[in-house]
Amino acid sequence: MKILALETSAKSVSCAVVEDGAPLASAYQCTGLTHSRTLLPMVDAMLKNADLTLDDINAIAIAAGPGSFTGLRIGIAAVKGLAWAADKPCLGISTLEAMAENIAHLNGLVGAMDARRSQVYNAVFEAKGGELTRLTPDRAISLEELCAQLQGKQQPITVLGDGGVLCYRYLEEHGVKCSLAPSMLLYQSAVGVGLAAERAYARGEAVSAQELLPVYLRPAQAERLRSSQLNQ
């Protein structure tokens, strides 16, 4: 089966078509242009260059969060529109799980994104033979707490994502030996979304366009400010 995958959770934007554990086509851009401007033209060009149409696609997947609130909304809206028009099932994939696919060939890894406010969005996975096993849920966690959880671990630890450099430096400074993923594998990719989506589809986790929702993990800044003002 062919899965069209989109990734809009951070500064970069990408799309891919994945089939049977391998990418058939992909496109990536990190120029600072808004996703609302770049995403759909990128998808259209990729499909045309691969001689594919939405009729050839079995499901559409998106990195549903955590990540940039604006980026997630743009990606979710795009998938809803594409899936609704083409009557395709959808898959909302953890951004962190999709990111972990980049280094699934290693043993023991940490997926981290910069969440600001002295935290990272994080999930820990164990990798063996290219297969990922989730060890923690996606969470917003302080670097101090993450460091405490990783103290004394015997497996090699690799960090990646927007918060990868921040996480790597903090862990090293506090005695947790780890490696930083190489630059070509450090950030999010729609290929990882597609690979994770294949497993999710096999588990029966596909939903309709109406049911697809973003996963924010915590309230947006505007919501936090409003709550703070109401509680004063």
Side-chain angles (χ1 to χ4, degrees), residues 161-184:
D162 288 35
V165 174
L166 175 69
C167 186
Y168 168 76
R169 289 174 177 168
Y170 187 93
L171 293 176
E172 284 282 305
E173 289 171 0
H174 291 79
V176 177
K177 291 298 180 183
C178 59
S179 300
L180 182 66
S183 57
M184 74 288 289

Side-chain angles (χ1 to χ4, degrees), residues 1-10 12-28 39 43 46 57 59-67 71-72 75-76 79 89-104 113 125 132 134 138 160 185 187-203 205-206 212-213:
M1 67 175 298
K2 294 181 178 67
I3 294 180
L4 171 63
L6 311 181
E7 222 297 346
T8 62
S9 68
S12 65
V13 59
S14 58
C15 57
V17 177
V18 171
E19 182 178 34
D20 297 330
L24 296 182
S26 65
Y28 176 93
L39 178 60
V43 171
M46 179 192 68
I57 301 300
I60 305 176
I62 180 71
L72 294 177
I76 292 288
V79 170
C90 301
L91 294 141
I93 302 301
S94 159
T95 305
L96 300 174
E97 180 180 354
M99 202 188 316
E101 286 287 348
N102 292 0
I103 50 176
M113 286 180 62
F125 299 85
L132 292 172
R134 180 182 282 275
D138 292 356
L160 72 165
L185 300 176
Y187 300 111
Q188 298 89 325
S189 166
V191 172
V193 176
L195 296 175
E198 286 189 323
R199 296 194 303 273
Y201 190 92
R203 294 193 297 264
E205 296 176 6
L212 182 66
L213 295 171

Side-chain angles (χ1 to χ4, degrees), residues 96-97 99-111 122-127 131-133 135 150 155-160:
L96 300 174
E97 180 180 354
M99 202 188 316
E101 286 287 348
N102 292 0
I103 50 176
H105 57 288
L106 302 179
N107 291 323
L109 50 96
V110 178
N122 166 266
V124 179
F125 299 85
E126 183 178 17
E131 297 292 326
L132 292 172
T133 300
L135 301 181
L150 296 176
Q155 307 101 310
I157 298 171
T158 306
V159 298
L160 72 165

Side-chain angles (χ1 to χ4, degrees), residues 206-228:
V207 298
S208 68
Q210 300 97 309
E211 296 171 309
L212 182 66
L213 295 171
V215 178
Y216 296 130
L217 287 189
R218 68 184 191 193
Q221 176 68 13
E223 294 173 2
R224 291 196 297 269
L225 290 173
R226 180 174 181 272
S227 176
S228 176

Side-chain angles (χ1 to χ4, degrees), residues 27-139:
Y28 176 93
Q29 187 168 316
C30 188
T31 60
L33 297 174
T34 61
H35 299 340
S36 58
R37 174 179 171 182
T38 57
L39 178 60
L40 290 179
M42 182 184 293
V43 171
D44 183 59
M46 179 192 68
L47 291 176
K48 285 181 178 177
N49 288 337
D51 198 23
L52 295 169
T53 70
L54 280 178
D55 289 337
D56 300 310
I57 301 300
N58 300 100
I60 305 176
I62 180 71
S68 157
F69 292 95
T70 300
L72 294 177
R73 291 186 183 110
I74 291 171
I76 292 288
V79 170
K80 282 178 174 287
L82 292 169
W84 184 283
D87 192 25
K88 303 292 181 180
C90 301
L91 294 141
I93 302 301
S94 159
T95 305
L96 300 174
E97 180 180 354
M99 202 188 316
E101 286 287 348
N102 292 0
I103 50 176
H105 57 288
L106 302 179
N107 291 323
L109 50 96
V110 178
M113 286 180 62
D114 186 2
R116 296 176 175 82
R117 293 170 61 88
S118 302
Q119 289 184 321
V120 290
Y121 290 135
N122 166 266
V124 179
F125 299 85
E126 183 178 17
K128 287 185 178 179
E131 297 292 326
L132 292 172
T133 300
R134 180 182 282 275
L135 301 181
T136 72
D138 292 356
R139 66 265 178 96

